[in-house]
Amino acid sequence: MVGTLRKMLIGVVALIVLLVVIAFLLPRTFKVEREITISAPPIPIYQMVSAPTNWPKWAVWNKRDPNMKLTFSGTGGGAGAKWSWESATEGNGAMEFTEADPPRRLVYKLSFPDMQMVSSGVIRLTAVDDETTKVSWTNEGDFGTNPALRYLGLFMNKIVGPDFEAGLASLKVLVEKRVMADIKAKADAAPPPIDAVNDAAKADPAAPPATADVAPKK
């Protein structure tokens, strides 16, 4: 009996050692990247991603936990803006925007204290034309000597990638709706063209004709 237990113990120790050795042979870094094309110029997209208070409107993590506790600090947007969260399902974390090049690039630092994990990310906006922008979202980090996190790195792209895709899709819908709403609001607020006013005057002879503004001759 004692001999059997000893063999089992030796086997467990050998397996743990093997797993640790394999871990140090795994890549210590990871990178996740996704992109999407949005029918909008870069500025309204940058406004939506550069302010931490806007992230809960499109980031998938916040949608999965509506009860997530959020704290905002630092600047209102761009470099120096910060936010953190506490969630029973999504974990505890913090994000700080460290560099900003509006409206083309935003760099952030992402940390998960419970996992002792820190990574960095970049959101890049590239104008395709006057009404279209390609948005690229990248996150990468270094697991260092932590063997457990190195195993996690094998699945980071499959775990985080779909969240990036869902977030970008939500960002696209949100920005495009806002852009269309702004265009409609401007069109509704614009005065009718002179020809349209004159057509209305023809229908109502009592109405005075519309005239273009012309400076008086001196």
Side-chain angles (χ1 to χ4, degrees):
M1 183 67 177
V2 175
T4 302
L5 291 176
R6 183 179 299 171
K7 289 180 180 178
M8 290 178 61
L9 180 60
I10 293 174
V12 170
V13 172
L15 178 60
I16 293 174
V17 172
L18 178 61
L19 291 175
V20 172
V21 171
I22 292 176
F24 282 105
L25 297 177
L26 297 175
R28 60 180 291 169
T29 61
F30 73 91
K31 182 176 181 179
V32 179
E33 184 173 13
R34 294 293 189 274
E35 64 179 40
I36 198 170
T37 299
I38 298 179
S39 299
I43 291 177
I45 304 173
Y46 181 82
Q47 292 172 341
M48 190 57 63
V49 302
S50 63
T53 51
N54 284 334
W55 278 61
K57 301 174 184 177
W58 58 270
V60 68
W61 310 296
N62 302 86
K63 296 181 182 298
R64 282 202 294 255
D65 181 10
N67 298 318
M68 181 181 291
K69 180 181 177 181
L70 304 176
T71 302
F72 301 96
S73 60
T75 62
K82 305 175 184 179
W83 67 303
S84 60
W85 55 91
E86 298 178 18
S87 170
T89 59
E90 303 303 305
N92 303 326
M95 180 182 289
E96 177 182 359
F97 299 156
T98 57
E99 297 178 38
D101 180 20
R104 292 179 290 270
R105 187 174 68 105
L106 182 71
V107 182
Y108 66 82
K109 180 178 72 173
L110 178 65
S111 59
F112 293 96
D114 296 342
M115 299 178 62
Q116 297 183 341
M117 180 177 171
V118 178
S119 62
S120 61
V122 183
I123 296 180
R124 292 184 176 86
L125 310 179
T126 305
V128 178
D129 53 42
D130 292 341
E131 300 179 351
T132 310
T133 304
K134 183 177 74 172
V135 182
S136 173
W137 188 2
T138 304
N139 190 78
E140 53 189 320
D142 189 333
F143 294 127
T145 58
N146 189 314
L149 291 181
R150 287 197 181 192
Y151 276 105
L152 177 63
L154 297 175
F155 308 98
M156 286 295 289
N157 196 53
K158 291 184 178 180
I159 295 173
V160 180
D163 288 352
F164 277 28
E165 293 170 6
L168 289 173
S170 181
L171 177 66
K172 175 182 174 70
V173 171
L174 182 61
V175 172
E176 290 181 353
K177 281 185 177 180
R178 291 200 171 189
V179 169
M180 292 302 298
D182 288 343
I183 292 175
K184 184 178 184 304
K186 290 178 181 179
D188 292 343
I194 292 177
D195 289 343
V197 175
N198 286 335
D199 289 343
K202 291 177 183 179
D204 182 6
T211 58
D213 293 334
V214 179
K217 295 182 179 180
K218 297 181 179 179

